[in-house]
PDB file of all heavy atoms in Angstrom:
ATOM      1  N   HIS A  13      18.143 -19.590 -20.381  1.00 97.00           N
ATOM      2  CA  HIS A  13      17.225 -19.608 -19.244  1.00 97.00           C
ATOM      3  C   HIS A  13      16.845 -21.033 -18.860  1.00 97.00           C
ATOM      4  O   HIS A  13      16.766 -21.363 -17.673  1.00 97.00           O
ATOM      5  CB  HIS A  13      15.961 -18.814 -19.579  1.00 97.00           C
ATOM      6  CG  HIS A  13      15.911 -17.469 -18.916  1.00 97.00           C
ATOM      7  ND1 HIS A  13      14.755 -16.741 -18.815  1.00 97.00           N
ATOM      8  CD2 HIS A  13      16.871 -16.737 -18.289  1.00 97.00           C
ATOM      9  CE1 HIS A  13      15.012 -15.602 -18.180  1.00 97.00           C
ATOM     10  NE2 HIS A  13      16.286 -15.583 -17.860  1.00 97.00           N
ATOM     11  N   LEU A  14      16.602 -21.872 -19.853  1.00 98.00           N
ATOM     12  CA  LEU A  14      16.231 -23.250 -19.555  1.00 98.00           C
ATOM     13  C   LEU A  14      17.357 -23.971 -18.826  1.00 98.00           C
ATOM     14  O   LEU A  14      17.117 -24.693 -17.852  1.00 98.00           O
ATOM     15  CB  LEU A  14      15.879 -24.001 -20.831  1.00 98.00           C
ATOM     16  CG  LEU A  14      15.515 -25.476 -20.638  1.00 98.00           C
ATOM     17  CD1 LEU A  14      14.319 -25.633 -19.701  1.00 98.00           C
ATOM     18  CD2 LEU A  14      15.240 -26.142 -21.981  1.00 98.00           C
ATOM     19  N   GLN A  15      18.569 -23.772 -19.287  1.00 98.00           N
ATOM     20  CA  GLN A  15      19.708 -24.413 -18.624  1.00 98.00           C
ATOM     21  C   GLN A  15      19.834 -23.948 -17.180  1.00 98.00           C
ATOM     22  O   GLN A  15      20.087 -24.749 -16.272  1.00 98.00           O
ATOM     23  CB  GLN A  15      20.999 -24.115 -19.383  1.00 98.00           C
ATOM     24  CG  GLN A  15      22.213 -24.877 -18.874  1.00 98.00           C
ATOM     25  CD  GLN A  15      22.014 -26.382 -18.872  1.00 98.00           C
ATOM     26  OE1 GLN A  15      21.524 -26.939 -19.849  1.00 98.00           O
ATOM     27  NE2 GLN A  15      22.367 -27.038 -17.777  1.00 98.00           N
ATOM     28  N   ARG A  16      19.619 -22.656 -16.962  1.00 98.00           N
ATOM     29  CA  ARG A  16      19.679 -22.126 -15.599  1.00 98.00           C
ATOM     30  C   ARG A  16      18.570 -22.738 -14.743  1.00 98.00           C
ATOM     31  O   ARG A  16      18.795 -23.118 -13.587  1.00 98.00           O
ATOM     32  CB  ARG A  16      19.546 -20.608 -15.630  1.00 98.00           C
ATOM     33  CG  ARG A  16      19.444 -19.952 -14.249  1.00 98.00           C
ATOM     34  CD  ARG A  16      19.443 -18.433 -14.355  1.00 98.00           C
ATOM     35  NE  ARG A  16      19.091 -17.815 -13.093  1.00 98.00           N
ATOM     36  CZ  ARG A  16      19.922 -17.656 -12.062  1.00 98.00           C
ATOM     37  NH1 ARG A  16      21.160 -18.126 -12.153  1.00 98.00           N
ATOM     38  NH2 ARG A  16      19.522 -17.068 -10.957  1.00 98.00           N
ATOM     39  N   SER A  17      17.366 -22.844 -15.294  1.00 98.00           N
ATOM     40  CA  SER A  17      16.248 -23.429 -14.549  1.00 98.00           C
ATOM     41  C   SER A  17      16.545 -24.875 -14.174  1.00 98.00           C
ATOM     42  O   SER A  17      16.272 -25.302 -13.038  1.00 98.00           O
ATOM     43  CB  SER A  17      14.960 -23.348 -15.376  1.00 98.00           C
ATOM     44  OG  SER A  17      14.538 -22.010 -15.528  1.00 98.00           O
ATOM     45  N   LEU A  18      17.065 -25.643 -15.100  1.00 98.00           N
ATOM     46  CA  LEU A  18      17.384 -27.042 -14.825  1.00 98.00           C
ATOM     47  C   LEU A  18      18.404 -27.159 -13.695  1.00 98.00           C
ATOM     48  O   LEU A  18      18.286 -28.017 -12.812  1.00 98.00           O
ATOM     49  CB  LEU A  18      17.914 -27.719 -16.089  1.00 98.00           C
ATOM     50  CG  LEU A  18      16.903 -27.923 -17.217  1.00 98.00           C
ATOM     51  CD1 LEU A  18      17.617 -28.360 -18.494  1.00 98.00           C
ATOM     52  CD2 LEU A  18      15.844 -28.939 -16.821  1.00 98.00           C
ATOM     53  N   GLU A  19      19.391 -26.290 -13.713  1.00 98.00           N
ATOM     54  CA  GLU A  19      20.427 -26.329 -12.675  1.00 98.00           C
ATOM     55  C   GLU A  19      19.850 -25.942 -11.314  1.00 98.00           C
ATOM     56  O   GLU A  19      20.101 -26.609 -10.304  1.00 98.00           O
ATOM     57  CB  GLU A  19      21.573 -25.387 -13.047  1.00 98.00           C
ATOM     58  CG  GLU A  19      22.378 -25.856 -14.261  1.00 98.00           C
ATOM     59  CD  GLU A  19      23.375 -24.826 -14.723  1.00 98.00           C
ATOM     60  OE1 GLU A  19      23.421 -23.708 -14.129  1.00 98.00           O
ATOM     61  OE2 GLU A  19      24.100 -25.095 -15.698  1.00 98.00           O
ATOM     62  N   LEU A  20      19.074 -24.864 -11.268  1.00 98.00           N
ATOM     63  CA  LEU A  20      18.520 -24.408  -9.999  1.00 98.00           C
ATOM     64  C   LEU A  20      17.507 -25.400  -9.439  1.00 98.00           C
ATOM     65  O   LEU A  20      17.446 -25.618  -8.220  1.00 98.00           O
ATOM     66  CB  LEU A  20      17.855 -23.040 -10.177  1.00 98.00           C
ATOM     67  CG  LEU A  20      18.790 -21.855 -10.417  1.00 98.00           C
ATOM     68  CD1 LEU A  20      17.985 -20.611 -10.766  1.00 98.00           C
ATOM     69  CD2 LEU A  20      19.667 -21.589  -9.209  1.00 98.00           C
ATOM     70  N   LEU A  21      16.722 -26.012 -10.315  1.00 98.00           N
ATOM     71  CA  LEU A  21      15.693 -26.952  -9.884  1.00 98.00           C
ATOM     72  C   LEU A  21      16.244 -28.354  -9.650  1.00 98.00           C
ATOM     73  O   LEU A  21      15.504 -29.248  -9.208  1.00 98.00           O
ATOM     74  CB  LEU A  21      14.563 -26.992 -10.921  1.00 98.00           C
ATOM     75  CG  LEU A  21      13.700 -25.729 -10.982  1.00 98.00           C
ATOM     76  CD1 LEU A  21      12.855 -25.699 -12.252  1.00 98.00           C
ATOM     77  CD2 LEU A  21      12.806 -25.620  -9.748  1.00 98.00           C
ATOM     78  N   ARG A  22      17.499 -28.570  -9.983  1.00 98.00           N
ATOM     79  CA  ARG A  22      18.185 -29.843  -9.734  1.00 98.00           C
ATOM     80  C   ARG A  22      17.470 -31.013 -10.417  1.00 98.00           C
ATOM     81  O   ARG A  22      17.168 -32.036  -9.807  1.00 98.00           O
ATOM     82  CB  ARG A  22      18.326 -30.098  -8.231  1.00 98.00           C
ATOM     83  CG  ARG A  22      19.048 -28.988  -7.470  1.00 98.00           C
ATOM     84  CD  ARG A  22      19.338 -29.410  -6.044  1.00 98.00           C
ATOM     85  NE  ARG A  22      19.780 -28.284  -5.236  1.00 98.00           N
ATOM     86  CZ  ARG A  22      20.149 -28.382  -3.959  1.00 98.00           C
ATOM     87  NH1 ARG A  22      20.105 -29.571  -3.351  1.00 98.00           N
ATOM     88  NH2 ARG A  22      20.530 -27.318  -3.269  1.00 98.00           N
ATOM     89  N   THR A  23      17.195 -30.823 -11.693  1.00 98.00           N
ATOM     90  CA  THR A  23      16.519 -31.858 -12.457  1.00 98.00           C
ATOM     91  C   THR A  23      17.083 -31.891 -13.869  1.00 98.00           C
ATOM     92  O   THR A  23      17.698 -30.918 -14.317  1.00 98.00           O
ATOM     93  CB  THR A  23      15.000 -31.602 -12.501  1.00 98.00           C
ATOM     94  OG1 THR A  23      14.355 -32.671 -13.192  1.00 98.00           O
ATOM     95  CG2 THR A  23      14.666 -30.291 -13.192  1.00 98.00           C
ATOM     96  N   ASP A  24      16.853 -33.000 -14.563  1.00 98.00           N
ATOM     97  CA  ASP A  24      17.342 -33.109 -15.935  1.00 98.00           C
ATOM     98  C   ASP A  24      16.265 -32.809 -16.967  1.00 98.00           C
ATOM     99  O   ASP A  24      16.521 -32.840 -18.165  1.00 98.00           O
ATOM    100  CB  ASP A  24      17.941 -34.497 -16.190  1.00 98.00           C
ATOM    101  CG  ASP A  24      16.923 -35.619 -16.030  1.00 98.00           C
ATOM    102  OD1 ASP A  24      15.755 -35.330 -15.689  1.00 98.00           O
ATOM    103  OD2 ASP A  24      17.300 -36.792 -16.246  1.00 98.00           O
ATOM    104  N   HIS A  25      15.048 -32.503 -16.500  1.00 98.00           N
ATOM    105  CA  HIS A  25      13.995 -32.144 -17.447  1.00 98.00           C
ATOM    106  C   HIS A  25      12.878 -31.374 -16.741  1.00 98.00           C
ATOM    107  O   HIS A  25      12.675 -31.516 -15.545  1.00 98.00           O
ATOM    108  CB  HIS A  25      13.405 -33.387 -18.128  1.00 98.00           C
ATOM    109  CG  HIS A  25      12.519 -34.191 -17.223  1.00 98.00           C
ATOM    110  ND1 HIS A  25      13.006 -35.053 -16.265  1.00 98.00           N
ATOM    111  CD2 HIS A  25      11.152 -34.249 -17.118  1.00 98.00           C
ATOM    112  CE1 HIS A  25      12.009 -35.623 -15.622  1.00 98.00           C
ATOM    113  NE2 HIS A  25      10.867 -35.147 -16.116  1.00 98.00           N
ATOM    114  N   ILE A  26      12.172 -30.581 -17.517  1.00 98.00           N
ATOM    115  CA  ILE A  26      10.995 -29.847 -17.065  1.00 98.00           C
ATOM    116  C   ILE A  26       9.771 -30.529 -17.692  1.00 98.00           C
ATOM    117  O   ILE A  26       9.804 -30.920 -18.857  1.00 98.00           O
ATOM    118  CB  ILE A  26      11.054 -28.372 -17.533  1.00 98.00           C
ATOM    119  CG1 ILE A  26      12.310 -27.676 -17.000  1.00 98.00           C
ATOM    120  CG2 ILE A  26       9.798 -27.623 -17.110  1.00 98.00           C
ATOM    121  CD1 ILE A  26      12.407 -27.602 -15.517  1.00 98.00           C
ATOM    122  N   ASP A  27       8.717 -30.675 -16.927  1.00 98.00           N
ATOM    123  CA  ASP A  27       7.509 -31.263 -17.501  1.00 98.00           C
ATOM    124  C   ASP A  27       6.790 -30.282 -18.423  1.00 98.00           C
ATOM    125  O   ASP A  27       6.242 -30.677 -19.454  1.00 98.00           O
ATOM    126  CB  ASP A  27       6.570 -31.732 -16.382  1.00 98.00           C
ATOM    127  CG  ASP A  27       7.162 -32.902 -15.611  1.00 98.00           C
ATOM    128  OD1 ASP A  27       7.513 -33.912 -16.238  1.00 98.00           O
ATOM    129  OD2 ASP A  27       7.295 -32.785 -14.369  1.00 98.00           O
ATOM    130  N   LEU A  28       6.768 -29.004 -18.039  1.00 98.00           N
ATOM    131  CA  LEU A  28       6.097 -27.989 -18.852  1.00 98.00           C
ATOM    132  C   LEU A  28       6.934 -26.719 -18.857  1.00 98.00           C
ATOM    133  O   LEU A  28       7.175 -26.121 -17.809  1.00 98.00           O
ATOM    134  CB  LEU A  28       4.699 -27.692 -18.286  1.00 98.00           C
ATOM    135  CG  LEU A  28       3.916 -26.568 -18.956  1.00 98.00           C
ATOM    136  CD1 LEU A  28       3.585 -26.910 -20.407  1.00 98.00           C
ATOM    137  CD2 LEU A  28       2.631 -26.257 -18.165  1.00 98.00           C
ATOM    138  N   TRP A  29       7.365 -26.318 -20.045  1.00 98.00           N
ATOM    139  CA  TRP A  29       8.132 -25.078 -20.198  1.00 98.00           C
ATOM    140  C   TRP A  29       7.240 -24.084 -20.932  1.00 98.00           C
ATOM    141  O   TRP A  29       6.644 -24.412 -21.952  1.00 98.00           O
ATOM    142  CB  TRP A  29       9.409 -25.338 -20.986  1.00 98.00           C
ATOM    143  CG  TRP A  29      10.398 -24.207 -20.943  1.00 98.00           C
ATOM    144  CD1 TRP A  29      10.547 -23.282 -19.952  1.00 98.00           C
ATOM    145  CD2 TRP A  29      11.384 -23.903 -21.936  1.00 98.00           C
ATOM    146  NE1 TRP A  29      11.579 -22.412 -20.247  1.00 98.00           N
ATOM    147  CE2 TRP A  29      12.109 -22.773 -21.464  1.00 98.00           C
ATOM    148  CE3 TRP A  29      11.739 -24.470 -23.153  1.00 98.00           C
ATOM    149  CZ2 TRP A  29      13.154 -22.207 -22.182  1.00 98.00           C
ATOM    150  CZ3 TRP A  29      12.785 -23.912 -23.881  1.00 98.00           C
ATOM    151  CH2 TRP A  29      13.491 -22.800 -23.395  1.00 98.00           C
ATOM    152  N   GLN A  30       7.146 -22.858 -20.384  1.00 98.00           N
ATOM    153  CA  GLN A  30       6.172 -21.898 -20.885  1.00 98.00           C
ATOM    154  C   GLN A  30       6.793 -20.571 -21.294  1.00 98.00           C
ATOM    155  O   GLN A  30       7.687 -20.060 -20.611  1.00 98.00           O
ATOM    156  CB  GLN A  30       5.112 -21.639 -19.801  1.00 98.00           C
ATOM    157  CG  GLN A  30       4.378 -22.900 -19.375  1.00 98.00           C
ATOM    158  CD  GLN A  30       3.745 -22.729 -17.998  1.00 98.00           C
ATOM    159  OE1 GLN A  30       2.561 -22.493 -17.892  1.00 98.00           O
ATOM    160  NE2 GLN A  30       4.540 -22.855 -16.942  1.00 98.00           N
ATOM    161  N   MET A  31       6.291 -20.012 -22.386  1.00 98.00           N
ATOM    162  CA  MET A  31       6.619 -18.636 -22.757  1.00 98.00           C
ATOM    163  C   MET A  31       5.800 -17.742 -21.852  1.00 98.00           C
ATOM    164  O   MET A  31       4.566 -17.770 -21.890  1.00 98.00           O
ATOM    165  CB  MET A  31       6.276 -18.373 -24.229  1.00 98.00           C
ATOM    166  CG  MET A  31       7.130 -19.133 -25.212  1.00 98.00           C
ATOM    167  SD  MET A  31       6.840 -18.526 -26.896  1.00 98.00           S
ATOM    168  CE  MET A  31       7.747 -19.723 -27.842  1.00 98.00           C
ATOM    169  N   HIS A  32       6.482 -16.933 -21.048  1.00 98.00           N
ATOM    170  CA  HIS A  32       5.824 -16.199 -19.972  1.00 98.00           C
ATOM    171  C   HIS A  32       5.397 -14.801 -20.401  1.00 98.00           C
ATOM    172  O   HIS A  32       6.149 -14.071 -21.038  1.00 98.00           O
ATOM    173  CB  HIS A  32       6.789 -16.102 -18.784  1.00 98.00           C
ATOM    174  CG  HIS A  32       6.141 -15.727 -17.493  1.00 98.00           C
ATOM    175  ND1 HIS A  32       4.815 -15.942 -17.232  1.00 98.00           N
ATOM    176  CD2 HIS A  32       6.644 -15.139 -16.367  1.00 98.00           C
ATOM    177  CE1 HIS A  32       4.534 -15.523 -16.005  1.00 98.00           C
ATOM    178  NE2 HIS A  32       5.618 -15.022 -15.475  1.00 98.00           N
ATOM    179  N   VAL A  33       4.151 -14.440 -20.064  1.00 97.00           N
ATOM    180  CA  VAL A  33       3.574 -13.108 -20.318  1.00 97.00           C
ATOM    181  C   VAL A  33       3.764 -12.701 -21.783  1.00 97.00           C
ATOM    182  O   VAL A  33       4.226 -11.603 -22.086  1.00 97.00           O
ATOM    183  CB  VAL A  33       4.181 -12.037 -19.388  1.00 97.00           C
ATOM    184  CG1 VAL A  33       3.263 -10.821 -19.316  1.00 97.00           C
ATOM    185  CG2 VAL A  33       4.428 -12.570 -17.988  1.00 97.00           C
ATOM    186  N   LEU A  34       3.393 -13.585 -22.679  1.00 97.00           N
ATOM    187  CA  LEU A  34       3.559 -13.303 -24.105  1.00 97.00           C
ATOM    188  C   LEU A  34       2.305 -12.596 -24.622  1.00 97.00           C
ATOM    189  O   LEU A  34       1.419 -13.204 -25.224  1.00 97.00           O
ATOM    190  CB  LEU A  34       3.806 -14.606 -24.879  1.00 97.00           C
ATOM    191  CG  LEU A  34       4.236 -14.417 -26.338  1.00 97.00           C
ATOM    192  CD1 LEU A  34       5.552 -13.631 -26.416  1.00 97.00           C
ATOM    193  CD2 LEU A  34       4.369 -15.747 -27.048  1.00 97.00           C
ATOM    194  N   ILE A  35       2.245 -11.283 -24.396  1.00 96.00           N
ATOM    195  CA  ILE A  35       1.070 -10.506 -24.784  1.00 96.00           C
ATOM    196  C   ILE A  35       1.432  -9.276 -25.622  1.00 96.00           C
ATOM    197  O   ILE A  35       0.559  -8.697 -26.264  1.00 96.00           O
ATOM    198  CB  ILE A  35       0.277 -10.040 -23.544  1.00 96.00           C
ATOM    199  CG1 ILE A  35       1.193  -9.274 -22.593  1.00 96.00           C
ATOM    200  CG2 ILE A  35      -0.380 -11.224 -22.839  1.00 96.00           C
ATOM    201  CD1 ILE A  35       0.455  -8.595 -21.468  1.00 96.00           C
ATOM    202  N   ASN A  36       2.705  -8.889 -25.636  1.00 96.00           N
ATOM    203  CA  ASN A  36       3.137  -7.730 -26.418  1.00 96.00           C
ATOM    204  C   ASN A  36       3.340  -8.161 -27.871  1.00 96.00           C
ATOM    205  O   ASN A  36       4.080  -9.105 -28.137  1.00 96.00           O
ATOM    206  CB  ASN A  36       4.433  -7.170 -25.833  1.00 96.00           C
ATOM    207  CG  ASN A  36       4.942  -5.972 -26.605  1.00 96.00           C
ATOM    208  OD1 ASN A  36       5.506  -6.122 -27.677  1.00 96.00           O
ATOM    209  ND2 ASN A  36       4.744  -4.790 -26.049  1.00 96.00           N
ATOM    210  N   PRO A  37       2.687  -7.493 -28.824  1.00 96.00           N
ATOM    211  CA  PRO A  37       2.803  -7.915 -30.228  1.00 96.00           C
ATOM    212  C   PRO A  37       4.238  -7.964 -30.745  1.00 96.00           C
ATOM    213  O   PRO A  37       4.593  -8.880 -31.501  1.00 96.00           O
ATOM    214  CB  PRO A  37       1.979  -6.862 -30.971  1.00 96.00           C
ATOM    215  CG  PRO A  37       0.970  -6.405 -29.972  1.00 96.00           C
ATOM    216  CD  PRO A  37       1.698  -6.417 -28.648  1.00 96.00           C
ATOM    217  N   ALA A  38       5.063  -7.016 -30.348  1.00 97.00           N
ATOM    218  CA  ALA A  38       6.450  -7.022 -30.810  1.00 97.00           C
ATOM    219  C   ALA A  38       7.209  -8.219 -30.233  1.00 97.00           C
ATOM    220  O   ALA A  38       7.982  -8.893 -30.934  1.00 97.00           O
ATOM    221  CB  ALA A  38       7.138  -5.710 -30.420  1.00 97.00           C
ATOM    222  N   ASP A  39       6.999  -8.484 -28.949  1.00 97.00           N
ATOM    223  CA  ASP A  39       7.614  -9.660 -28.332  1.00 97.00           C
ATOM    224  C   ASP A  39       7.140 -10.939 -29.013  1.00 97.00           C
ATOM    225  O   ASP A  39       7.913 -11.886 -29.206  1.00 97.00           O
ATOM    226  CB  ASP A  39       7.251  -9.728 -26.847  1.00 97.00           C
ATOM    227  CG  ASP A  39       8.000  -8.714 -26.005  1.00 97.00           C
ATOM    228  OD1 ASP A  39       8.916  -8.071 -26.542  1.00 97.00           O
ATOM    229  OD2 ASP A  39       7.658  -8.558 -24.823  1.00 97.00           O
ATOM    230  N   TRP A  40       5.848 -10.974 -29.332  1.00 97.00           N
ATOM    231  CA  TRP A  40       5.259 -12.141 -29.989  1.00 97.00           C
ATOM    232  C   TRP A  40       5.945 -12.396 -31.336  1.00 97.00           C
ATOM    233  O   TRP A  40       6.298 -13.537 -31.656  1.00 97.00           O
ATOM    234  CB  TRP A  40       3.767 -11.905 -30.172  1.00 97.00           C
ATOM    235  CG  TRP A  40       2.979 -13.114 -30.573  1.00 97.00           C
ATOM    236  CD1 TRP A  40       2.334 -13.987 -29.750  1.00 97.00           C
ATOM    237  CD2 TRP A  40       2.736 -13.561 -31.910  1.00 97.00           C
ATOM    238  NE1 TRP A  40       1.707 -14.968 -30.498  1.00 97.00           N
ATOM    239  CE2 TRP A  40       1.942 -14.729 -31.819  1.00 97.00           C
ATOM    240  CE3 TRP A  40       3.116 -13.105 -33.172  1.00 97.00           C
ATOM    241  CZ2 TRP A  40       1.512 -15.432 -32.947  1.00 97.00           C
ATOM    242  CZ3 TRP A  40       2.691 -13.817 -34.296  1.00 97.00           C
ATOM    243  CH2 TRP A  40       1.897 -14.943 -34.173  1.00 97.00           C
ATOM    244  N   GLU A  41       6.135 -11.352 -32.114  1.00 98.00           N
ATOM    245  CA  GLU A  41       6.786 -11.496 -33.412  1.00 98.00           C
ATOM    246  C   GLU A  41       8.221 -11.997 -33.252  1.00 98.00           C
ATOM    247  O   GLU A  41       8.680 -12.846 -34.031  1.00 98.00           O
ATOM    248  CB  GLU A  41       6.773 -10.168 -34.166  1.00 98.00           C
ATOM    249  CG  GLU A  41       5.400  -9.687 -34.591  1.00 98.00           C
ATOM    250  CD  GLU A  41       4.753 -10.559 -35.661  1.00 98.00           C
ATOM    251  OE1 GLU A  41       5.459 -11.378 -36.275  1.00 98.00           O
ATOM    252  OE2 GLU A  41       3.532 -10.414 -35.869  1.00 98.00           O
ATOM    253  N   THR A  42       8.920 -11.502 -32.250  1.00 98.00           N
ATOM    254  CA  THR A  42      10.293 -11.965 -32.010  1.00 98.00           C
ATOM    255  C   THR A  42      10.311 -13.434 -31.610  1.00 98.00           C
ATOM    256  O   THR A  42      11.098 -14.225 -32.130  1.00 98.00           O
ATOM    257  CB  THR A  42      10.952 -11.123 -30.904  1.00 98.00           C
ATOM    258  OG1 THR A  42      10.991  -9.752 -31.312  1.00 98.00           O
ATOM    259  CG2 THR A  42      12.373 -11.605 -30.622  1.00 98.00           C
TER     260      THR A  42
END
């Protein structure tokens, strides 16, 4: 996903990369 974001945004770095909607306990454990 990060590689795709970098390509679409036409940049070599992201200032802030975030884990999105991390509220499900099972997802959190993974």
